[in-house]
Amino acid sequence: QVQLVESGGGLVQPGGSLRLSCAASGPIDGVFTMAWYRQAPGKQRELVASISNGGGTDYTDSMKGRVTTSRDNAKNTMNLQMNSLKPEDTAVYYCKAALIRLTDGEYKADNWGRGTQVTVSS
């Protein structure tokens, strides 16, 4: 069974940094585009950053210059380095793998982790 698990969330002061990680496990042969989303209370889930299996990245305007995403295809992991955090960055951060190729040759789409809470507050 494929699972995505996020880690690294927590409480940080404004201006601080956090590094989130996402690990995909299970009968995985390859992972295509991965992404970070976030959802603040009372708001819709929004895309924060994405990274293709070739390493191409894209970032939401509100976080450009403050976040960097990276991945290790051999380990099926992805990271999100967040700097200069603001209170409005407070949200649950989710990892998504748009498409995973399984070892049996099948594909599994729309894979989500359960999220990790990031709270930016003094």
Side-chain angles (χ1 to χ4, degrees):
Q1 181 178 355
V2 171
Q3 281 191 316
L4 273 66
V5 179
E6 303 93 339
S7 61
L11 173 65
V12 63
Q13 291 187 341
S17 298
L18 276 178
R19 185 176 178 84
L20 306 183
S21 296
C22 171
S25 63
I28 296 172
D29 185 52
V31 182
F32 294 86
T33 296
M34 300 182 77
W36 290 98
Y37 285 75
R38 68 182 181 182
Q39 187 166 18
K43 295 188 176 181
Q44 288 189 332
R45 193 172 296 189
E46 64 172 352
L47 177 66
V48 174
S50 64
I51 182 167
S52 69
N53 54 349
T57 57
D58 194 20
Y59 301 100
T60 187
D61 287 344
S62 64
M63 297 200 81
K64 276 182 181 176
R66 299 191 295 123
V67 296
T68 303
T69 190
S70 59
R71 64 187 287 174
D72 184 329
N73 291 336
K75 296 180 179 179
N76 294 324
T77 58
M78 175 177 63
N79 297 309
L80 183 71
Q81 177 67 41
M82 302 190 292
N83 303 318
S84 303
L85 285 164
K86 305 174 182 180
E88 51 264 42
D89 295 320
T90 295
V92 178
Y93 284 71
Y94 297 91
C95 169
K96 177 184 178 181
L99 190 66
I100 293 176
R101 183 175 63 244
L102 305 178
T103 53
D104 64 2
E106 297 293 321
Y107 290 83
K108 189 174 184 295
D110 203 29
N111 306 274
W112 290 89
R114 293 188 175 183
T116 185
Q117 176 71 46
V118 171
T119 302
V120 185
S121 175
S122 55

